Amino acid sequence: METAKKGGIIMKKEYEYNSPLVYQRADPYVYLHTDGYYYFTGTMPQYDCIEIRRAKTLNELLTADSSVVWKKHKTGEMGSHIWAPELHYIDGVWYIYFTAGDADQIWEIRPYILMCEDENPMTGKWIEKGKIDVGVQSFSLDMTAFENNGELYTIWAQKIEPADVSNIYIARMKNPWTLETEPMLLSTPEYDWEKQGFKVNEGPAVLIRNGKVIVTYSASDTGWRYCMGMLWADENSDLLDKNSWHKSDKPVFKTSEENEQYGPGHNCFTTDNGKDVLVYHSRNYKEINGDPLHDNNRHARAKVFEYDENGLPIFGEPVKKNI
């Protein structure tokens, strides 16, 4: 890694990317499109809109131009808690999966989807496709989508019963806004590190490498105990069969006291010149006054990672703050 100067910021050799990559963007999502741009979105501090920015390099996202492509409704559905937007390009069409509450019932959290058929998602027209029906109407969020062996799948987090537990479910899709199969329970909090503060599995992200479908997810409350777990299955197995999946009994990415980075999680994956990159959020401090949900200093960060002899990711530790 060479020392470089980008946008007036001098990068140190031990850092691959600006840290933070983007300030105050929890639940970051990066998509490298065929036009050569990295498109970035994430949860806005006010939880009130969806913003997209783009740049030719990951480091340039810090100061890139941005565009608010959608705002929350003043009443009714999609009226509060606009969380975890993800930008996907499926069969030549742009989609944004996101989470929203109701303006009058703010904890009626559900997954929704927007669609844009124009070339540029930052300037194109976005159409509301509405709420995605996952079968059971209950607190559900953090929906993502991926393709494997010609099939489209979705994974999301949901509280069913008992209501204090957030699980992860998977289903095959008929199209980007319609499930084709019944949800299958993929993961539930079972280890101590998944039950700190709250019993949580959420924020799934998918990586297909080395013949495996790899799913990372976030666990526990959103303070310093927030961390990442991992599931994996053979890419040619039946992904809707629970027996196809394996689960790590230890977190694969967690707080680093040494690097002063706390509560890393809600990640996504991208690439940079053939290297796989983990994009995630974390805080620069451990102690939080009040509810962590109201602390806006979860910043987006990124790091290159490698694989072990079994073809599974080795994420190491969260990177230090350097800007």
Side-chain angles (χ1 to χ4, degrees):
M1 302 177 189
E2 299 178 351
T3 303
K5 188 174 183 179
K6 291 183 180 291
I9 300 167
I10 297 177
M11 300 291 294
K12 299 179 181 180
K13 287 185 178 181
E14 64 265 33
Y15 298 106
E16 184 77 34
Y17 302 112
N18 294 332
S19 178
L21 197 69
V22 181
Y23 281 93
Q24 291 193 324
R25 292 297 183 272
D27 318 322
Y29 193 85
V30 176
Y31 172 71
L32 177 58
H33 192 42
T34 54
D35 61 5
Y37 280 99
Y38 288 96
Y39 289 83
F40 176 96
T41 189
T43 298
M44 299 291 282
Q46 297 79 20
Y47 302 155
D48 62 350
C49 64
I50 297 174
E51 173 204 78
I52 300 174
R53 62 178 66 192
R54 71 176 188 177
K56 285 290 188 178
T57 69
L58 287 169
N59 274 335
E60 291 170 339
L61 288 171
L62 181 68
T63 56
D65 291 336
S66 64
S67 176
V68 173
V69 300
W70 183 86
K71 295 182 179 180
K72 73 175 184 179
H73 291 191
K74 293 182 179 179
T75 61
E77 289 187 347
M78 296 180 275
S80 71
H81 286 155
I82 310 304
W83 295 340
E86 292 194 4
L87 183 66
H88 293 256
Y89 192 70
I90 302 170
D91 294 333
V93 179
W94 293 101
Y95 296 95
I96 293 176
Y97 292 92
F98 69 102
T99 298
D102 187 284
D104 302 313
Q105 302 180 69
I106 62 174
W107 297 110
E108 288 297 308
I109 303 293
R110 302 290 188 273
Y112 295 86
I113 187 169
L114 308 174
M115 180 178 76
C116 175
E117 297 180 299
D118 296 321
E119 183 177 350
N120 186 342
M122 294 182 64
T123 59
K125 180 181 179 181
W126 284 93
I127 300 169
E128 295 177 0
K129 298 293 289 183
K131 180 166 58 181
I132 298 177
D133 184 0
V134 295
V136 176
Q137 292 303 310
S138 63
F139 188 100
S140 45
L141 70 166
D142 297 347
M143 181 167 279
T144 191
F146 69 98
E147 294 183 72
N148 185 57
N149 290 332
E151 299 282 0
L152 182 65
Y153 294 86
T154 182
I155 304 181
W156 69 98
Q158 186 166 8
K159 295 181 180 180
I160 298 181
E161 290 295 341
D164 67 334
V165 178
S166 175
N167 301 318
I168 292 177
Y169 296 85
I170 183 173
R172 191 166 60 245
M173 304 194 86
K174 183 184 302 181
N175 56 47
W177 59 90
T178 310
L179 270 62
E180 185 176 44
T181 64
E182 292 294 320
M184 190 273 284
L185 176 62
L186 183 58
S187 181
T188 190
E190 54 188 302
Y191 300 111
D192 285 345
W193 52 270
E194 299 176 292
K195 301 176 183 179
Q196 299 301 304
F198 296 103
K199 300 171 184 177
V200 173
N201 283 180
E202 65 180 17
V206 181
L207 177 69
I208 301 176
R209 292 287 188 275
N210 306 321
K212 298 177 176 64
V213 177
I214 299 163
V215 176
T216 55
Y217 63 92
S218 298
S220 290
D221 63 29
T222 56
W224 70 271
R225 295 175 295 190
Y226 206 55
C227 60
M228 280 167 45
M230 187 168 67
L231 306 150
W232 65 95
D234 187 285
E235 65 179 354
N236 294 316
S237 65
D238 180 358
L239 300 184
L240 302 182
D241 181 350
K242 184 69 178 292
N243 294 323
S244 297
W245 293 89
H246 310 273
K247 181 175 179 178
S248 174
D249 60 359
K250 297 180 177 61
V252 294
F253 200 56
K254 61 182 181 179
T255 286
S256 171
E257 297 274 4
E258 181 180 355
N259 290 345
E260 298 182 304
Q261 291 301 305
Y262 302 94
H266 204 123
N267 72 289
C268 71
F269 299 101
T270 190
T271 60
D272 186 1
N273 293 315
K275 299 178 291 186
D276 283 329
V277 180
L278 173 72
V279 182
Y280 60 97
H281 72 231
S282 61
R283 288 187 178 90
N284 297 333
Y285 47 85
K286 184 174 184 178
E287 300 303 325
I288 299 170
N289 292 323
D291 189 340
L293 187 63
H294 304 307
D295 181 290
N296 296 322
N297 292 316
R298 290 181 290 177
H299 307 310
R301 291 183 164 83
K303 65 173 299 185
V304 172
F305 63 92
E306 303 297 336
Y307 294 86
D308 66 17
E309 64 276 9
N310 297 314
L312 293 171
I314 303 174
F315 296 122
E317 294 191 335
V319 295
K320 298 178 182 179
K321 177 182 177 182
N322 68 355
I323 57 174

